[in-house]
Amino acid sequence: MKAFVLTQYKEQLRQIDVPEPELGNHDVLVEVHAAGLNQLDEKIRLGEFKQILPYKLPQVLGHDVAGVVLQVGPEVRAFKAGDEVFARPRKDSIGTFAERIAVPEEDLAIKPATISMEEAGSLPLVALTAWQALVERGNVGPGQKILIHAGAGGVGSIAIQLAKYLGATVATTVSAGNKDFVRELGADVVIDYRTEDFVEILHDYDLVLDSLGGENLERSLKVLKKGGKAIGIAGPPDAGFARQLGGNPVLVGVTTLLSSGIRRKARRLGVIYEFLFMRADGNQLREIAALIDAGDIKPVVGRVVPFDQTADVLAALEKGGVRGKTVVSHQ
């Protein structure tokens, strides 16, 4: 089986032959038709998460998959051969940059019927991130004001649509060329980050979803009302994240220290900072699939490339310039 494998941190992915996936009792063997590319894959390649996500190398990368079920484990009940499915496999089961992958049954959902494999392959990580930020952590509802940074990106383009479905007023930051695009997604307030200062424009917001980190995250705290919340998906990680990973006291202490600065600044302003590292969840994907089939959320695929170009397009991902997601396809 061909797969794109990371053999050493900070090296390029290499396409090599690897053993066929081992199928556990609760696993589903999926023939990969499409796989979304995410910044997370590039950050892992560069070794940025090796202290908190210590993958054993060599490691097949890839966190999004859409495909067809080939075989199921003896205790799988929800899926059968021939089903069209999509998933974000859990951290111990990643590896969608391959021809086939074994996915835990709990992480999997039936693919939305109204979209293509490439569109389905673009969704799991970004849609679950948006869902867990806005629905689980943010309890977003009618009357709330939400700021979503990088609204033309993979997470942002889905989060805008989900926030509007939930009834919120949505502000977002983009380049001038993407203003009309995010308005079509539902954004109410659109800010050109190159020429406008969102801190001067936005006030008394309930929630910020930040995918940029650093100074942008710190400045985002200032647009929140008292008791408001900033959710960061670019760091720094906090103790809650360490506990989510089942971390030992040392890891909890390290992540507490890493996030101490931003949490201190948040407390001074009377607001809250939380780090979100999305988790795999097939039940949530089923809810998202229903919204897609109802037309409430539309996938945003900016580019589809052949499977053998995976390494090149992943390395170029950080340069931006693509609306929504880049997807590799086996078709």
Side-chain angles (χ1 to χ4, degrees):
M1 180 184 75
K2 294 187 182 302
F4 278 91
V5 180
L6 179 64
T7 58
Q8 183 176 332
Y9 290 119
K10 298 187 180 181
E11 285 196 351
Q12 187 62 282
L13 294 179
R14 294 192 294 145
Q15 185 179 174
I16 61 175
D17 290 324
V18 299
E20 290 291 325
E22 295 183 5
L23 197 64
N25 288 342
H26 296 277
D27 290 341
V28 176
L29 182 64
V30 177
E31 179 183 60
V32 179
H33 284 213
L37 273 66
N38 297 284
Q39 291 285 355
L40 176 59
D41 296 297
E42 181 65 358
K43 290 180 182 296
I44 291 173
R45 185 185 74 83
L46 295 173
E48 293 184 17
F49 287 144
K50 64 182 179 181
Q51 300 301 323
I52 53 178
L53 294 174
Y55 289 110
K56 182 179 179 181
L57 302 180
Q59 172 69 54
V60 180
L61 291 185
H63 291 77
D64 283 324
V65 64
V68 175
V69 174
L70 296 175
Q71 184 182 349
V72 301
E75 297 186 33
V76 171
R77 298 292 179 265
F79 303 95
K80 64 183 185 305
D83 284 344
E84 295 187 343
V85 294
F86 73 142
R88 191 289 200 192
R90 62 192 60 183
K91 66 181 179 66
D92 297 327
S93 301
I94 68 167
T96 63
F97 297 159
E99 294 178 311
R100 290 170 290 282
I101 182 173
V103 181
E105 179 182 20
E106 291 181 351
D107 301 347
L108 207 60
I110 295 295
K111 179 185 80 70
T114 56
I115 61 175
S116 68
M117 281 289 184
E118 289 75 20
E119 289 172 318
S122 76
L123 281 167
L125 186 145
V126 295
L128 286 170
T129 299
W131 185 276
Q132 289 167 21
L134 302 182
V135 177
E136 279 194 346
R137 300 279 190 98
N139 296 310
V140 172
Q144 290 187 314
K145 297 195 297 184
I146 313 300
L147 168 59
I148 297 168
H149 283 294
V155 172
S157 60
I158 299 300
I160 289 171
Q161 296 178 75
L162 179 58
K164 289 303 295 181
Y165 170 78
L166 296 170
T169 297
V170 180
T172 191
T173 55
V174 293
S175 63
N178 283 317
K179 279 191 167 186
D180 289 341
F181 169 66
V182 294
R183 287 192 182 102
E184 291 174 2
L185 295 177
D188 301 288
V189 181
V190 181
I191 297 169
D192 179 355
Y193 68 86
R194 290 173 178 159
T195 62
E196 299 174 290
D197 186 349
F198 69 88
V199 176
E200 295 181 357
I201 298 170
L202 307 178
H203 307 282
D204 297 320
Y205 269 61
D206 297 277
L207 183 73
V208 175
L209 176 56
D210 176 75
S211 57
L212 303 173
E215 182 183 355
N216 193 81
L217 172 60
E218 293 182 10
R219 298 182 73 245
S220 295
L221 301 176
K222 299 176 182 179
V223 311
L224 291 167
K225 68 181 185 182
K226 297 294 184 182
K229 182 182 294 186
I231 297 177
I233 60 176
D238 59 13
F241 168 64
R243 286 189 286 268
Q244 177 184 336
L245 293 182
N248 57 40
V250 173
L251 182 58
V252 172
V254 168
T255 54
T256 299
L257 181 61
L258 287 172
S259 62
S260 61
I262 189 69
R263 289 187 291 107
R264 183 166 54 250
K265 291 175 182 178
R267 284 196 301 271
R268 288 173 182 167
L269 293 169
V271 301
I272 300 165
Y273 166 72
E274 292 181 359
F275 176 73
L276 172 64
F277 189 86
M278 60 74 51
R279 70 182 188 281
D281 193 312
N283 288 328
Q284 290 181 356
L285 281 180
R286 279 186 278 278
E287 296 192 64
I288 291 164
L291 294 181
I292 292 164
D293 282 337
D296 296 311
I297 294 177
K298 296 180 180 179
V300 181
V301 177
R303 186 183 182 193
V304 178
V305 298
F307 174 69
D308 60 8
Q309 294 182 19
T310 299
D312 293 335
V313 294
L314 182 63
L317 204 61
E318 197 167 357
K319 298 178 182 177
V322 176
R323 290 173 176 172
K325 290 289 291 291
T326 296
V327 178
V328 296
S329 173
H330 289 266
Q331 304 306 301

